[in-house]
């Protein structure tokens, strides 16, 4: 009832693991896949090993988490082993990759064999990467085009909400040949310890995830659905089945779940069951509610 085809990939449900959560090892990705996810996205990997920002890199705040991990990763070079382990679950594995310019993205992409790529042009706090390239529509189009012509699997582009109008960047990704866009990465934010006056994160500022950003993500998905011809994948603040229904009504073909997985790895099975019961009671299919909010 919840199965779908997304950019040519067969998914048993539209609920995917978002990049950055339990995505560093093949073992943890496989565990999430075996816990009911329709697909899993790896932690972002780049061309060279990166230690990330100094601690603290994550703090819980009202309605979510602030993180400034700084794209820590071992590089793509030994990462295919992790992807192969994750693939043992029989669920599509999406590699999240980052770079500072088209050739760097292509180098990373050509060193991996996932079921699809997600291009991270949206991390809000990594110097030379993420939003520093992903807020420039010309660069987003060039990067997308370069990766698209170098690989044979679908290419998704993960967008930042830290722009005035996300649709301009979405259009650039589409123009570059993206098969889908993913909206949204975290919203830039900061927290200060009032006892000392120090910014809490080692990097001083970071990206906000969790319930607080859901309305921001819904608006971005709504606008992208209206503007683009390619599928939009929604992410940001999903913690129960009603959140997923809301994203699909806004125009998300599928969704990714991040912060909420940290508290409950069974969230994929729980949301699937609740969604099926809800749709059955309403006598709707997933397709019936896809973009429903645009019909009014
Ligand atoms: C990080 O590793 O810094 C988070 C990645 C992201 O926000 O895209």
């Amino acid at each position: 009832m919840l199965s779908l085809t997304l950019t040519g990939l067969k998914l048993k449900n539209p609920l995917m693991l978002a990049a950055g959560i339990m995505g560093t090892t093949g073992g943890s990705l496989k565990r999430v896949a075996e816990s009911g996810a329709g697909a899993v996205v790896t932690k972002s990997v780049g061309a060279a090993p990166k230690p990330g920002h100094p601690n603290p890199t994550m703090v819980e705040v009202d309605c979510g988490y602030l993180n400034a991990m700084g794209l820590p990763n071992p590089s793509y070079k030994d990462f295919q082993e992790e992807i192969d382990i994750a693939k043992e679950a029989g669920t599509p594995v999406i590699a999240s990759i980052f770079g500072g310019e088209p050739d760097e993205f292509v180098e990373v992409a050509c060193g991996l064999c996932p079921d699809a790529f997600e291009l991270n042009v949206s991390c809000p706090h990594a110097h030379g990467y993420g939003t520093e390239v992903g807020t420039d529509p010309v660069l987003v189009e060039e990067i997308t085009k370069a990766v698209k012509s170098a690989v044979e699997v679908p290419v998704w582009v993960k967008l930042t909400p830290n722009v005035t109008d996300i649709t301009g960047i979405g259009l650039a990704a589409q123009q570059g040949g993206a098969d889908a866009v993913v909206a949204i990465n975290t919203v830039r934010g900061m927290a200060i310890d009032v006892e000392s006056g120090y910014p809490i994160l080692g990097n001083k500022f970071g990206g906000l995830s969790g319930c607080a950003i859901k309305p921001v993500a819904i608006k971005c998905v709504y606008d992208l659905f209206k503007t683009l011809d390619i599928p939009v994948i929604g992410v940001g603040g999903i913690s129960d089945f009603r959140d997923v229904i809301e994203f699909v009504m806004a125009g998300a073909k599928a969704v990714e779940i991040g912060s909420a997985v940290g508290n409950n790895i069974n969230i994929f099975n729980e949301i699937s069951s609740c969604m099926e019961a809800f749709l059955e009671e309403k006598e709707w299919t997933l397709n019936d509610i896809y973009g429903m909010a645009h019909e009014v």
Side-chain angles (χ1 to χ4, degrees):
M1 185 183 192
L2 295 180
S3 63
L4 74 155
T5 301
L6 176 66
T7 67
L9 302 179
K10 299 231 176 301
L11 270 56
K12 63 175 177 271
N13 65 52
L15 315 171
M16 301 184 276
L17 175 72
I21 318 289
M22 296 187 72
T24 307
T25 69
S28 61
L29 287 160
K30 188 175 166 195
R31 184 167 164 227
V32 175
E34 288 171 347
S35 301
V40 292
V41 185
T42 71
K43 171 82 183 142
S44 300
V45 292
K50 204 171 177 306
H53 292 315
N55 280 321
T57 53
M58 187 159 170
V59 58
E60 187 165 4
V61 293
D62 294 342
C63 307
Y65 298 94
L66 266 178
N67 93 79
M69 307 293 291
L71 296 169
N73 79 100
S75 98
Y76 73 92
K77 285 174 186 137
D78 292 321
F79 201 66
Q80 186 57 39
E81 286 167 32
E82 307 301 335
I83 292 176
D84 289 340
I85 293 169
K87 279 185 178 178
E88 287 168 13
T91 297
V93 178
I94 321 305
S96 171
I97 63 171
F98 71 89
E101 36 83 35
D103 287 349
E104 196 175 346
F105 269 94
V106 169
E107 178 191 339
V108 179
C110 289
L112 298 171
C113 293
D115 295 298
F117 285 101
E118 183 177 281
L119 310 187
N120 182 348
V121 289
S122 45
C123 174
H125 45 71
H127 186 52
Y129 301 108
T131 46
E132 289 192 14
V133 295
T135 49
D136 177 346
V138 175
L139 210 41
V140 169
E141 182 176 338
E142 282 175 10
I143 288 167
T144 310
K145 198 175 274 173
V147 176
K148 206 38 207 164
S149 54
V151 302
E152 289 182 355
V153 294
V155 175
W156 307 348
V157 180
K158 188 168 183 180
L159 306 177
T160 176
N162 300 301
V163 285
T164 311
D165 178 10
I166 198 169
T167 63
I169 308 292
L171 280 167
Q174 178 172 284
Q175 187 66 26
D179 296 280
V181 292
V182 182
I184 55 175
N185 206 317
T186 52
V187 177
R188 197 174 278 142
M190 186 172 184
I192 295 167
D193 172 36
V194 297
E195 300 298 331
S196 64
Y198 281 29
I200 294 175
L201 292 171
N203 186 57
K204 296 196 173 78
F205 71 91
L208 180 66
S209 63
C211 300
I213 71 165
K214 195 188 74 180
V216 178
I218 294 285
K219 173 74 165 84
C220 289
V221 168
Y222 184 89
D223 290 349
L224 288 162
F225 177 88
K226 213 164 43 171
T227 310
L228 304 187
D229 301 318
I230 55 177
V232 181
I233 296 162
V235 52
I238 293 173
S239 65
D240 72 15
F241 85 93
R242 288 185 180 277
D243 297 332
V244 180
I245 300 283
E246 196 179 346
F247 268 97
V248 177
M249 287 177 168
K253 185 92 183 163
V255 298
E256 294 179 0
I257 307 176
S259 298
V261 180
N263 297 327
N264 177 15
I265 196 170
N266 292 319
I267 192 165
F268 300 99
N269 279 330
E270 288 171 11
I271 290 184
S272 293
S273 307
C274 292
M275 273 181 78
E276 280 176 345
F278 176 83
L279 292 173
E280 199 173 319
E281 191 194 321
K282 292 281 198 182
E283 297 183 2
W284 286 336
T285 65
L286 196 56
N287 219 32
D288 290 335
I289 63 165
Y290 177 46
M292 190 182 249
H294 293 262
E295 290 161 18
V296 293

